[in-house]
Amino acid sequence: MPNSPERPRRITLVRNGPVLVEGPVEVTGDDGEVWVSDRFTVALCTCRRSRRYPWCDTSHRRPTGQTHTGESRSATRTQRHDGGDDR
Amino acid sequence: MTTVTDPPLPRPRGPLSAAVIARLRTERGRLPPDGAIRRADPYGADLQTALYVLYELHYRGFEGVDDGLEWEAELLAVRRPLEERFLAALRADAPQTGLRDTLAALLAEPVADTGTDVSRYLDHHGGLDQLREYAALRSLYHLKEADPHAWALPRLRGRAKAGLAAIEFDEFGAGRAEDIHAQLFADLMTDLGLETGYGHYVDLAPSEALATVNLMSLLGLHRRLRGALVGHFATVEITSPPAARRLTEAMRRTRAGPAAERFYAEHVVADAVHEQVVRREVIGGLLHDEPGLEPEVAFGIHATAQVEDRLARHLLGAWQAGRGALREALPPAV
């Protein structure tokens, strides 16, 4: 069982992406606000751009410009990809 | 207590589908010869309807059609050249880009509206008429959401199996029937005044919509295509959150209703998790076990993009010209 005392809860750090935490979770904010999810895993936003904060909504994905030369697209491609980077 | 009724057989859209449908209805009659199938348009309405009907025998079947026909040898024998024709076209049209670049391109979210994205169009311009048409044609998949991918489970092991099973558990409501994603979609359809019967809108769906559903069935039913099925699943999960966010906005702006908003709002957050798990565990686990499948995973992504692009061109072409995108106008909201 993910949350049994015999085994610690697994948290996965995604470079340039969210933090994955095995659920269920209760997340508390600075102002005492509480968010609850019983999903098997949750993705917590770390870029602070999510419109569904504290949950990730994939807003961390770097937007690419639609250029005719395709420069920004290819730049994005070459920056990936070791499998652990989300951009 | 409600009784689930089997969907009705679709209407034929040409000689191939007419022969297949007649055989299912009467259990007699000649099935199409190989030559006719080889000459058919692989993306055309006739071949896609014939395939759709044959594939549905593996899901929910049809009213008045013997369930035993699912494994009837002559029907399987005619399905094979139909799907080989479709698969050969998908392979011929797929670019040879490797998996790494293919995944990176999927993860790149364009800033500007290029005018080729259905969710952006619906977000900016979609009225209730377009949203109802979109829901009606997507219902052919969303009313069996995640079902085709469940066929991959016995063909995977280790991390890939555990990751896919966890996602599917979420898709199937995590133990609560009212939260099954197919049920959330039925609730959305109710908000939009649509019929929620499984397969109800098949006769209104353009061939481009049938092809998106047939692709999943094709990949799901063949173990040899398991790598491509995983690629399909990854495409769906990776591209879903930004599109679902825009569709949530469209539903809100048009006051479609709370269930209509909820379906897409749930997919923003759920699929932001699923896409991480599918890339790390399902693709990562599969390629650890079977590294030779990497080109197949990329093919699955390309094939999905291809059928989705064809559907997007059809929908946007119709809507931008002020026409409906279905084969017949939808009845007014019930």
Side-chain angles (χ1 to χ4, degrees):
Chain A
M1 287 300 294
N3 305 316
S4 67
E6 297 82 50
R7 160 147 128 41
R9 185 184 303 263
R10 180 175 295 158
I11 295 179
T12 305
L13 308 175
V14 180
R15 194 194 312 164
N16 296 322
V19 170
L20 307 179
V21 184
E22 289 178 338
V25 298
E26 183 181 285
V27 181
T28 58
D30 266 354
D31 53 3
E33 201 171 350
V34 177
W35 299 272
V36 173
S37 174
D38 55 8
R39 203 179 301 285
F40 69 96
T41 293
V42 299
L44 291 176
C45 172
T46 58
C47 72
R48 298 264 172 172
R49 282 150 72 181
S50 175
R51 286 173 236 193
R52 298 291 297 276
Y53 193 84
W55 317 124
C56 171
D57 72 351
T58 70
S59 288
H60 58 274
R61 293 179 188 172
R62 177 176 296 169
T64 58
Q66 291 297 301
T67 60
H68 291 294
T69 61
E71 272 172 31
S72 62
R73 273 188 97 80
S74 56
T76 305
R77 281 183 188 163
T78 53
Q79 280 173 20
R80 267 188 70 85
H81 182 75
D82 58 9
D85 191 330
D86 238 41
R87 283 184 184 169
Chain B
M1 199 59 198
T2 54
T3 309
V4 175
T5 53
D6 296 331
L9 269 170
R11 290 201 293 266
R13 300 198 200 174
L16 301 178
S17 51
V20 168
I21 290 166
R23 170 62 79 93
L24 293 184
R25 182 173 285 129
T26 64
E27 297 189 32
R28 279 197 294 273
R30 260 173 62 95
L31 287 166
D34 278 10
I37 294 170
R38 277 197 299 272
R39 288 190 298 275
D41 174 357
Y43 301 110
D46 192 22
L47 184 143
Q48 292 295 330
T49 303
L51 259 187
Y52 178 88
V53 168
L54 290 168
Y55 283 148
E56 280 303 316
L57 298 174
H58 299 282
Y59 295 96
R60 299 271 290 264
F62 297 103
E63 194 184 352
V65 173
D66 179 3
D67 286 347
L69 293 182
E70 178 183 4
W71 297 106
E72 208 276 311
E74 281 189 51
L75 289 168
L76 293 175
V78 79
R79 197 185 84 189
R80 174 163 224 150
L82 288 167
E83 51 192 357
E84 287 303 327
R85 181 100 179 97
F86 183 34
L87 183 59
L90 291 166
R91 289 209 186 272
D93 294 344
Q96 295 301 309
T97 322
L99 180 59
R100 185 173 290 206
D101 287 344
T102 304
L103 279 173
L106 272 189
L107 285 162
E109 169 82 341
V111 177
D113 185 353
T114 54
T116 56
D117 183 321
V118 172
S119 68
R120 284 176 192 258
Y121 179 88
L122 289 172
D123 185 10
H124 297 149
H125 312 291
L128 268 179
D129 287 351
Q130 282 91 38
L131 291 170
R132 293 180 77 236
E133 289 196 337
Y134 188 70
L137 65 85
R138 285 296 191 191
S139 70
L140 299 183
Y141 170 60
H142 282 311
L143 290 178
K144 61 177 177 215
E145 187 169 333
D147 284 351
H149 307 99
W151 278 316
L153 285 170
R155 298 155 186 177
L156 302 176
R157 57 171 297 283
R159 284 166 55 207
K161 185 194 281 281
L164 180 61
I167 298 171
E168 290 282 85
F169 179 65
D170 215 22
E171 299 278 354
F172 295 142
R176 288 184 294 259
E178 67 274 22
D179 290 338
I180 297 177
H181 284 187
Q183 181 59 49
L184 300 185
F185 194 78
D187 298 341
L188 167 149
M189 295 179 82
T190 302
D191 269 1
L192 290 171
L194 294 166
E195 296 283 347
T196 60
Y198 181 95
H200 180 85
Y201 290 108
V202 62
D203 289 330
L204 300 190
S207 56
E208 292 86 352
L210 298 182
T212 64
V213 183
N214 285 338
L215 174 63
M216 315 178 202
S217 304
L218 166 68
L219 302 181
L221 284 167
H222 292 272
R223 192 182 70 86
R224 74 187 156 100
L225 298 174
R226 64 196 175 281
L229 181 68
V230 164
H232 181 280
F233 196 49
T235 312
V236 171
E237 299 292 358
I238 291 170
T239 56
S240 164
R245 178 167 53 71
R246 291 189 276 269
L247 291 167
T248 310
E249 283 306 314
M251 294 297 174
R252 187 172 297 147
R253 178 173 51 73
T254 55
R255 297 193 168 87
E261 283 182 39
R262 184 192 171 199
F263 176 81
Y264 287 111
E266 163 66 12
H267 279 75
V268 174
V269 173
D271 293 349
V273 174
H274 297 176
E275 70 108 351
Q276 295 286 346
V277 177
V278 77
R279 283 189 288 134
R280 286 157 189 284
E281 301 303 313
V282 184
I283 293 181
L286 175 69
L287 296 184
H288 180 267
D289 290 343
E290 302 188 83
L293 288 181
E294 186 168 322
E296 278 294 278
V297 177
F299 165 66
I301 296 173
H302 291 310
T304 309
Q306 209 170 300
V307 295
E308 287 295 333
D309 285 350
R310 295 178 82 92
L311 176 60
R313 282 198 297 277
H314 170 81
L315 294 177
L316 296 175
W319 290 336
Q320 284 164 353
R323 296 192 310 267
L326 303 184
R327 298 177 66 234
E328 292 164 31
L330 279 173
V334 290

